[in-house]
Amino acid sequence: TQPKSFIGPVILGTLGGCGGVFMPLSKGLQPLSEGVPYNVESAFLASFLYYILTIRYGASNDDARATVATTLILLRMLPSKTRAELPHAFHRVFMSLLGLNQGAGRITGSNKLKTK
């Protein structure tokens, strides 16, 4: 099978869904200087989740849309402090799955990758 593009759909979906936070383009990345606004986070999550569900797992468009909408609604119902901690929790899980520890402000490998 042909490999599917990942970066294009997710990045364009994020830019299309973030509500023009980067407009005019002369502002550059200045809107991100004080953290990522919720509309950018939700646009990225929606694009990423939709891509994973449809391309990688073969879900129908309607099922993927319903899952994305439900996820965004449920996340929005969380208190803002909890919502702010979610990326850190996902990062810790991801780093532990890779066998990496984050200590003293830098990432250090705790386990060597084993090759056959």
Side-chain angles (χ1 to χ4, degrees):
T1 62
Q2 291 288 332
K4 303 292 183 192
S5 175
F6 172 76
I7 298 298
V10 173
I11 296 299
L12 291 176
T14 301
L15 290 175
C18 69
V21 74
F22 299 107
M23 295 304 214
L25 294 177
S26 63
K27 290 187 341 185
L29 297 177
Q30 187 271 333
L32 301 178
S33 64
E34 295 182 18
V36 180
Y38 179 74
N39 56 350
V40 176
E41 286 180 359
S42 62
F44 174 77
L45 177 64
S47 299
F48 180 75
L49 190 56
Y50 185 83
Y51 173 83
I52 294 296
L53 291 172
T54 57
I55 302 299
R56 296 293 180 205
Y57 294 109
S60 70
N61 288 338
D62 290 338
D63 289 343
R65 286 184 194 131
T67 302
V68 168
T70 303
T71 302
L72 291 175
I73 290 168
L74 290 175
L75 283 175
R76 194 63 179 167
M77 295 168 103
L78 291 174
S80 61
K81 183 175 181 183
T82 305
R83 221 175 31 241
E85 289 297 319
L86 284 177
H88 302 294
F90 288 126
H91 180 261
R92 285 191 298 271
V93 169
F94 181 71
M95 296 304 280
S96 67
L97 289 175
L98 291 177
L100 300 173
N101 291 329
Q102 190 175 25
R106 60 191 173 114
I107 298 171
T108 57
S110 62
N111 299 328
K112 302 276 186 199
L113 294 177
K114 297 177 182 173
T115 57
K116 293 182 181 182

